[in-house]
């Protein structure tokens, strides 16, 4: 009877949820090199009501004691001890996410990475140049070199892996878009295309106008006209920018002031997304050279300066 009772309890325990429905998930960690019994003890110490001895017996009897993987996990409600062991065998680590926004600067990306509580901050004390040395052998300046996306990672992962993944993904997008480029675009290489994409990213208010914005800047480059784009000026001002751009800012020369210097700025000014990268290498085929905001998020495009000045009077100065 005692043996029968023990067997009944064992069957009940194996198939009974460790956290009932409606309960809160519980995070736990298993250290590398842990024994089966030690694994059960670490799980119990995290607040999960698992008996380490019963856990070890179940792992051994199921033939999976040697396949449990270390790492950071989250136990969800309604998971049974058997389900827990399966989770450890599959290595279903706790998933976290970091969202890198299109149009962010690299500085903003670093701030988001440094502030994420689930990452291990191995790069926090590295300068930008030191970080790039660990990430890339070809590029020294980090601006624009990381693709904006949502990155999933196991809790406790190194932040360096996020930077490496984002950089590798950006290189792939650069290669893909460069291979699909219109032969008429005036760039020497894929890096110049990336610089243009970063400008388009910052200038576009409506997604549907992205290709037209690209056309304005590409046409101006081809004609040797100044790009005259405010976001490059703002980027060049750095911490001096306080929310308003003034006439004297447009006249103050910096390497990024496209009102005073011809051609593209020396580096990207933001992290461009896929749509801006595509627009940079395949802009709309049109003669537009100017655009001005209508004040509602859309832009008015013009082929000549007279039409542009009239649009400025209509949409800007009257406001």
């Amino acid at each position: 009877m005692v043996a029968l009772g023990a067997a009944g309890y064992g069957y009940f325990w194996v198939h009974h949820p460790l956290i009932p429905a409606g309960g809160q998930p519980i995070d736990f960690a298993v250290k590398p090199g842990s024994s089966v019994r030690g694994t059960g003890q670490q799980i119990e110490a995290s607040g999960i009501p698992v008996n380490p001895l019963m856990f070890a017996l179940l792992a051994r009897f199921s033939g999976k004691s040697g396949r449990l993987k270390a790492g950071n996990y989250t136990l969800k409600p309604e998971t049974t001890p058997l389900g827990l062991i399966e989770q450890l065998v599959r290595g279903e680590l706790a998933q976290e996410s970091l969202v890198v926004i299109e149009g962010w600067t690299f500085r903003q990306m670093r701030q988001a990475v440094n502030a994420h509580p689930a990452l291990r901050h191995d790069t926090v004390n590295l300068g930008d140049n030191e970080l790039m040395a660990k990430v890339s052998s070809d590029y020294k300046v980090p601006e624009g070199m990381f693709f904006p996306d949502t990155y999933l990672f196991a809790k406790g992962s190194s932040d360096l892996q996020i930077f490496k993944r984002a950089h590798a993904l950006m290189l792939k997008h650069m290669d893909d878009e460069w291979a699909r480029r219109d032969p008429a675009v005036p760039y020497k290489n894929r890096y110049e295309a990336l610089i243009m994409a970063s400008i388009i990213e910052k200038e576009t208010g409506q997604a549907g106008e992205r290709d037209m914005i690209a056309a304005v800047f590409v046409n101006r480059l081809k004609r040797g006209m100044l790009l005259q784009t405010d976001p490059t000026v703002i980027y060049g001002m750095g911490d001096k920018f306080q929310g308003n751009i003034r006439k004297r800012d447009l006249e103050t020369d910096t390497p990024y002031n496209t009102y005073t210097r011809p051609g593209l700025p020396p580096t990207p000014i933001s992290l461009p997304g896929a749509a801006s990268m595509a627009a940079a290498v395949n802009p709309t085929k049109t003669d537009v050279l100017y655009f001005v905001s209508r004040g509602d998020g859309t832009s008015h495009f013009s082929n000549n300066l007279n039409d542009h000045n009239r649009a400025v009077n209509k949409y800007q100065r009257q406001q």
Side-chain angles (χ1 to χ4, degrees):
M1 290 295 292
V2 173
L4 186 61
Y9 174 76
Y11 180 85
F12 172 81
W13 180 79
V14 166
H15 296 283
H16 187 72
L18 293 165
I19 304 175
Q24 294 296 315
I26 299 177
D27 295 334
F28 68 95
V30 177
K31 297 178 181 178
S34 299
S35 65
V36 181
R37 183 76 176 269
T39 297
Q41 291 171 340
Q42 292 169 58
I43 295 172
E44 182 186 41
S46 299
I48 297 171
V50 62
N51 183 303
L53 176 59
M54 294 283 286
F55 175 86
L57 290 173
L58 178 60
R60 292 192 177 102
F61 286 141
S62 64
K64 298 173 180 175
S65 60
R67 296 162 56 193
L68 308 183
K69 297 178 177 64
N72 295 291
Y73 294 86
T74 297
L75 186 74
K76 298 178 181 179
E78 299 190 76
T79 303
T80 65
L82 194 58
L84 171 59
I85 288 175
E86 291 292 342
Q87 181 180 356
L88 293 169
V89 169
R90 290 191 297 265
E92 293 179 355
L93 302 177
Q95 289 286 296
E96 296 285 342
S97 65
L98 172 73
V99 179
V100 180
I101 305 296
E102 296 171 349
W104 270 4
T105 62
F106 177 66
R107 180 179 181 180
Q108 289 173 300
M109 178 183 177
R110 285 208 75 174
Q111 290 172 341
V113 170
N114 291 343
H116 202 297
L119 283 168
R120 189 173 75 248
H121 299 290
D122 296 331
T123 69
V124 67
N125 293 319
L126 298 180
D128 286 354
N129 291 339
E130 294 175 300
L131 175 57
M132 285 304 294
K134 292 182 176 292
V135 167
S136 172
S137 58
D138 298 325
Y139 295 92
K140 309 302 180 187
V141 178
E143 193 63 78
M145 297 309 306
F146 299 86
F147 190 72
D149 203 351
T150 298
Y151 294 93
L152 300 178
F153 59 91
K155 190 177 295 185
S157 297
S158 172
D159 57 0
L160 183 59
Q161 296 306 312
I162 299 294
F163 288 117
K164 286 183 175 180
R165 287 167 57 193
H167 180 63
L169 191 54
M170 179 57 84
L171 293 181
K172 182 179 186 305
H173 279 280
M174 288 171 67
D175 285 341
D176 291 347
E177 296 303 336
W178 187 244
R180 291 192 285 261
R181 72 188 183 280
D182 181 336
V185 292
Y187 315 124
K188 297 185 181 71
N189 49 50
R190 64 180 188 171
Y191 188 67
E192 288 195 352
L194 182 69
I195 294 173
M196 178 61 83
S198 75
I199 296 172
I200 296 166
E201 190 67 65
K202 298 299 287 187
E203 281 280 18
T204 301
Q206 288 284 333
E209 296 181 347
R210 204 180 305 269
D211 294 348
M212 286 288 287
I213 298 288
V216 169
F217 292 126
V218 167
N219 289 341
R220 293 177 78 90
L221 269 186
K222 287 181 177 180
R223 297 191 182 200
M225 298 173 65
L226 293 171
L227 293 184
Q228 294 184 322
T229 167
D230 292 358
T232 62
V233 177
I234 292 169
Y235 186 86
M237 292 173 65
D239 293 336
K240 294 179 181 178
F241 179 67
Q242 299 298 318
N244 292 310
I245 190 167
R246 299 154 297 187
K247 182 179 179 181
R248 67 171 178 267
D249 297 324
L250 302 179
E251 296 171 345
T252 301
D253 184 53
T254 75
Y256 292 88
N257 190 336
T258 52
Y259 284 81
T260 61
R261 298 198 182 193
L264 293 164
T267 73
I269 61 169
S270 70
L271 309 180
S276 291
M277 296 176 72
V281 296
N282 282 287
T284 299
K285 295 186 183 301
T286 175
D287 295 328
V288 292
L289 292 169
Y290 306 89
F291 66 94
V292 62
S293 172
R294 293 191 177 99
D296 61 358
T298 65
S299 299
H300 179 91
F301 295 88
S302 304
N303 295 351
N304 59 75
L305 185 57
N306 287 334
D307 288 347
H308 175 64
N309 286 336
R310 282 193 288 269
V312 169
N313 283 327
K314 178 178 180 180
Y315 295 113
Q316 295 290 310
R317 290 177 183 159
Q318 289 182 4
Q319 294 178 16

